[in-house]
Amino acid sequence: SAALTNSTPQTASIKYAVNRHHNCKRISMDAAVERESAALAKVRDKKRRQPKPKPLVRYNIGDACRTPQDMIICSSKHAATESAGLLKKWDGAFIKRSCGVWTYAVLIERAPQPVDVIKRRLEYFYWTTLEEVDPRCEMEDSMLFAIDGDGGTKIIPKHAWFNYVRRFNPTLLPNLAESSEA
Protein backbone atom coordinates (compact mmCIF):
# COMPACT_ATOMS: atom_id res chain seq x y z
CA SER A 1 0.00 0.00 0.00
CA ALA A 2 2.97 2.30 0.56
CA ALA A 3 3.83 1.93 -3.11
CA LEU A 4 0.42 3.25 -4.11
CA THR A 5 0.66 6.51 -2.20
CA ASN A 6 2.11 9.63 -3.77
CA SER A 7 3.92 10.84 -0.64
CA THR A 8 7.28 9.14 -1.13
CA PRO A 9 8.76 8.68 -4.58
CA GLN A 10 10.18 5.21 -5.19
CA THR A 11 13.06 4.52 -7.51
CA ALA A 12 12.85 1.61 -9.98
CA SER A 13 10.15 -0.23 -7.98
CA ILE A 14 7.12 1.47 -9.55
CA LYS A 15 5.51 0.15 -12.70
CA TYR A 16 2.38 1.34 -14.42
CA ALA A 17 -0.30 -1.12 -15.44
CA VAL A 18 -3.71 -0.70 -16.99
CA ASN A 19 -6.54 -2.47 -15.21
CA ARG A 20 -9.82 -3.71 -16.67
CA HIS A 21 -11.40 -0.27 -16.56
CA HIS A 22 -8.58 1.35 -18.55
CA ASN A 23 -7.52 3.50 -15.61
CA CYS A 24 -3.84 3.89 -14.89
CA LYS A 25 -2.79 2.35 -11.64
CA ARG A 26 0.63 2.34 -10.06
CA ILE A 27 1.87 -1.02 -8.78
CA SER A 28 5.23 -2.06 -7.42
CA MET A 29 7.61 -4.23 -9.41
CA ASP A 30 7.24 -6.92 -6.74
CA ALA A 31 3.46 -6.95 -7.20
CA ALA A 32 3.85 -7.14 -10.99
CA VAL A 33 6.27 -10.07 -10.68
CA GLU A 34 3.90 -11.76 -8.23
CA ARG A 35 0.96 -11.39 -10.64
CA GLU A 36 3.03 -12.73 -13.52
CA SER A 37 4.13 -15.72 -11.45
CA ALA A 38 0.54 -16.45 -10.42
CA ALA A 39 -0.63 -16.29 -14.05
CA LEU A 40 2.16 -18.66 -15.15
CA ALA A 41 1.30 -21.06 -12.32
CA LYS A 42 -2.34 -21.15 -13.48
CA VAL A 43 -1.25 -21.96 -17.03
CA ARG A 44 1.07 -24.73 -15.79
CA ASP A 45 -1.70 -26.21 -13.60
CA LYS A 46 -4.14 -26.14 -16.50
CA LYS A 47 -1.66 -27.97 -18.72
CA ARG A 48 -1.10 -30.62 -16.03
CA ARG A 49 -4.84 -31.25 -15.69
CA GLN A 50 -5.36 -31.75 -19.42
CA PRO A 51 -5.21 -35.42 -20.37
CA LYS A 52 -2.30 -36.38 -22.53
CA PRO A 53 -3.28 -37.50 -26.04
CA LYS A 54 -3.30 -41.24 -26.51
CA PRO A 55 -0.46 -42.61 -28.59
CA LEU A 56 -1.31 -43.91 -32.04
CA VAL A 57 -2.52 -47.48 -31.65
CA ARG A 58 -0.82 -49.69 -34.18
CA TYR A 59 -1.78 -53.24 -34.95
CA ASN A 60 -0.37 -55.80 -37.34
CA ILE A 61 -2.56 -58.40 -38.97
CA GLY A 62 -3.20 -61.17 -36.46
CA ASP A 63 -2.47 -59.08 -33.32
CA ALA A 64 -4.91 -59.63 -30.46
CA CYS A 65 -6.94 -56.61 -29.39
CA ARG A 66 -5.14 -54.93 -26.47
CA THR A 67 -8.11 -53.08 -24.97
CA PRO A 68 -11.86 -52.89 -25.70
CA GLN A 69 -11.47 -49.13 -26.31
CA ASP A 70 -9.67 -49.98 -29.57
CA MET A 71 -12.93 -51.41 -30.98
CA ILE A 72 -16.34 -49.91 -31.64
CA ILE A 73 -18.70 -52.04 -29.57
CA CYS A 74 -22.38 -51.62 -30.43
CA SER A 75 -25.23 -52.25 -28.02
CA SER A 76 -27.60 -54.01 -30.43
CA LYS A 77 -27.32 -56.63 -33.17
CA HIS A 78 -28.73 -54.21 -35.74
CA ALA A 79 -26.28 -51.42 -34.81
CA ALA A 80 -23.35 -53.87 -34.86
CA THR A 81 -24.35 -55.14 -38.33
CA GLU A 82 -24.71 -51.56 -39.61
CA SER A 83 -21.32 -50.63 -38.13
CA ALA A 84 -19.61 -53.60 -39.78
CA GLY A 85 -21.36 -52.70 -43.04
CA LEU A 86 -19.43 -49.40 -43.11
CA LEU A 87 -16.16 -51.24 -43.72
CA LYS A 88 -14.55 -50.75 -47.11
CA LYS A 89 -11.88 -52.73 -48.91
CA TRP A 90 -8.49 -52.55 -47.09
CA ASP A 91 -10.03 -51.24 -43.85
CA GLY A 92 -8.72 -52.71 -40.63
CA ALA A 93 -11.15 -54.32 -38.19
CA PHE A 94 -11.23 -56.78 -35.34
CA ILE A 95 -12.71 -60.18 -35.98
CA LYS A 96 -13.60 -62.84 -33.47
CA ARG A 97 -11.60 -65.98 -34.04
CA SER A 98 -12.91 -69.48 -33.35
CA CYS A 99 -10.98 -69.50 -30.03
CA GLY A 100 -12.91 -66.36 -28.92
CA VAL A 101 -10.02 -63.88 -29.22
CA TRP A 102 -10.55 -60.61 -31.12
CA THR A 103 -7.69 -60.13 -33.58
CA TYR A 104 -6.83 -57.39 -36.05
CA ALA A 105 -7.58 -58.24 -39.68
CA VAL A 106 -7.89 -56.42 -42.99
CA LEU A 107 -10.94 -56.58 -45.23
CA ILE A 108 -9.64 -57.74 -48.61
CA GLU A 109 -12.93 -58.37 -50.42
CA ARG A 110 -16.64 -57.88 -49.95
CA ALA A 111 -19.13 -59.53 -52.26
CA PRO A 112 -22.22 -61.76 -52.30
CA GLN A 113 -21.55 -65.43 -51.62
CA PRO A 114 -23.85 -68.47 -52.06
CA VAL A 115 -26.05 -69.00 -48.98
CA ASP A 116 -26.24 -72.78 -49.35
CA VAL A 117 -22.46 -73.11 -48.97
CA ILE A 118 -22.46 -70.81 -45.93
CA LYS A 119 -25.35 -72.63 -44.24
CA ARG A 120 -23.80 -76.06 -44.77
CA ARG A 121 -20.61 -74.74 -43.13
CA LEU A 122 -18.39 -76.70 -45.43
CA GLU A 123 -14.96 -77.31 -43.98
CA TYR A 124 -13.24 -76.02 -47.10
CA PHE A 125 -15.44 -72.99 -47.72
CA TYR A 126 -13.68 -70.85 -50.29
CA TRP A 127 -14.29 -67.39 -51.73
CA THR A 128 -16.15 -67.54 -55.02
CA THR A 129 -16.13 -65.00 -57.82
CA LEU A 130 -19.34 -63.95 -59.59
CA GLU A 131 -18.33 -66.06 -62.61
CA GLU A 132 -18.12 -69.19 -60.44
CA VAL A 133 -21.56 -68.81 -58.87
CA ASP A 134 -24.73 -70.30 -60.29
CA PRO A 135 -27.02 -67.29 -60.92
CA ARG A 136 -29.97 -69.28 -59.49
CA CYS A 137 -28.29 -69.53 -56.06
CA GLU A 138 -29.47 -67.39 -53.18
CA MET A 139 -26.69 -64.96 -52.23
CA GLU A 140 -25.67 -63.19 -49.02
CA ASP A 141 -23.28 -60.25 -48.66
CA SER A 142 -20.04 -61.52 -47.10
CA MET A 143 -16.61 -60.25 -46.11
CA LEU A 144 -13.24 -61.89 -46.73
CA PHE A 145 -10.57 -60.93 -44.17
CA ALA A 146 -6.82 -61.50 -44.13
CA ILE A 147 -6.25 -62.76 -40.59
CA ASP A 148 -2.50 -63.45 -40.40
CA GLY A 149 0.77 -62.88 -42.20
CA ASP A 150 0.80 -66.44 -43.56
CA GLY A 151 -2.09 -65.81 -45.95
CA GLY A 152 -4.85 -67.11 -43.68
CA THR A 153 -8.32 -65.79 -44.43
CA LYS A 154 -11.74 -65.86 -42.83
CA ILE A 155 -15.09 -65.40 -44.55
CA ILE A 156 -17.88 -63.85 -42.49
CA PRO A 157 -21.41 -63.70 -43.94
CA LYS A 158 -23.71 -60.77 -43.15
CA HIS A 159 -25.90 -62.73 -40.73
CA ALA A 160 -22.81 -63.15 -38.49
CA TRP A 161 -21.30 -59.64 -38.73
CA PHE A 162 -22.88 -58.52 -35.45
CA ASN A 163 -21.14 -61.32 -33.60
CA TYR A 164 -17.79 -61.54 -35.39
CA VAL A 165 -16.83 -58.11 -36.78
CA ARG A 166 -15.99 -54.90 -34.92
CA ARG A 167 -14.61 -51.79 -36.54
CA PHE A 168 -11.39 -50.18 -35.38
CA ASN A 169 -12.08 -47.12 -33.20
CA PRO A 170 -11.25 -44.10 -35.42
CA THR A 171 -10.92 -41.73 -32.45
CA LEU A 172 -7.58 -43.39 -31.69
CA LEU A 173 -6.10 -42.28 -35.01
CA PRO A 174 -4.34 -38.91 -35.23
CA ASN A 175 -6.09 -36.02 -36.93
CA LEU A 176 -4.52 -36.04 -40.38
CA ALA A 177 -5.49 -32.41 -41.06
CA GLU A 178 -3.54 -31.21 -38.01
CA SER A 179 -0.47 -33.26 -38.87
CA SER A 180 -0.38 -32.01 -42.48
CA GLU A 181 -0.40 -28.36 -41.32
CA ALA A 182 2.56 -28.86 -39.00
Side-chain angles (χ1 to χ4, degrees):
S1 66
L4 295 176
T5 62
N6 292 333
S7 61
T8 350
Q10 302 247 340
T11 61
S13 65
I14 301 294
K15 185 158 183 129
Y16 289 94
V18 178
N19 67 12
R20 288 189 286 181
H21 305 291
H22 305 290
N23 296 327
C24 288
K25 183 178 177 183
R26 297 169 78 167
I27 60 171
S28 70
M29 183 61 92
D30 295 336
V33 169
E34 192 173 311
R35 282 185 185 176
E36 183 70 21
S37 296
L40 287 172
K42 279 184 182 178
V43 169
R44 276 189 229 111
D45 287 345
K46 190 174 182 180
K47 284 183 180 178
R48 277 189 215 129
R49 285 190 298 243
Q50 290 176 343
K52 293 182 180 179
K54 290 184 178 183
L56 176 62
V57 178
R58 295 178 190 256
Y59 283 95
N60 293 317
I61 293 177
D63 287 351
C65 182
R66 296 181 197 108
T67 173
Q69 286 79 23
D70 293 346
M71 303 186 271
I72 295 176
I73 302 172
C74 298
S75 57
S76 71
K77 289 181 180 183
H78 177 72
T81 301
E82 292 291 317
S83 177
L86 296 173
L87 290 171
K88 294 178 179 37
K89 193 171 184 175
W90 308 120
D91 282 350
F94 292 98
I95 60 166
K96 190 175 186 180
R97 303 291 294 274
S98 55
C99 61
V101 175
W102 290 93
T103 60
Y104 187 76
V106 174
L107 177 63
I108 54 177
E109 190 65 54
R110 181 175 170 178
Q113 294 294 298
V115 172
D116 61 336
V117 175
I118 295 168
K119 286 186 178 174
R120 281 190 270 140
R121 297 183 187 267
L122 296 175
E123 187 175 340
Y124 298 106
F125 180 43
Y126 62 95
W127 191 257
T128 57
T129 63
L130 290 176
E131 295 83 33
E132 297 173 319
V133 178
D134 182 359
R136 296 171 294 186
C137 289
E138 183 183 353
M139 306 288 273
E140 181 177 16
D141 196 14
S142 299
M143 295 181 183
L144 174 67
F145 288 95
I147 59 173
D148 59 33
D150 297 330
T153 59
K154 184 167 185 166
I155 299 170
I156 304 175
K158 187 172 184 173
H159 72 268
W161 289 355
F162 74 91
N163 205 25
Y164 291 96
V165 181
R166 290 186 179 164
R167 287 188 309 135
F168 186 79
N169 191 346
T171 60
L172 300 176
L173 296 175
N175 186 342
L176 298 176
E178 288 177 6
S179 62
S180 65
E181 291 172 2

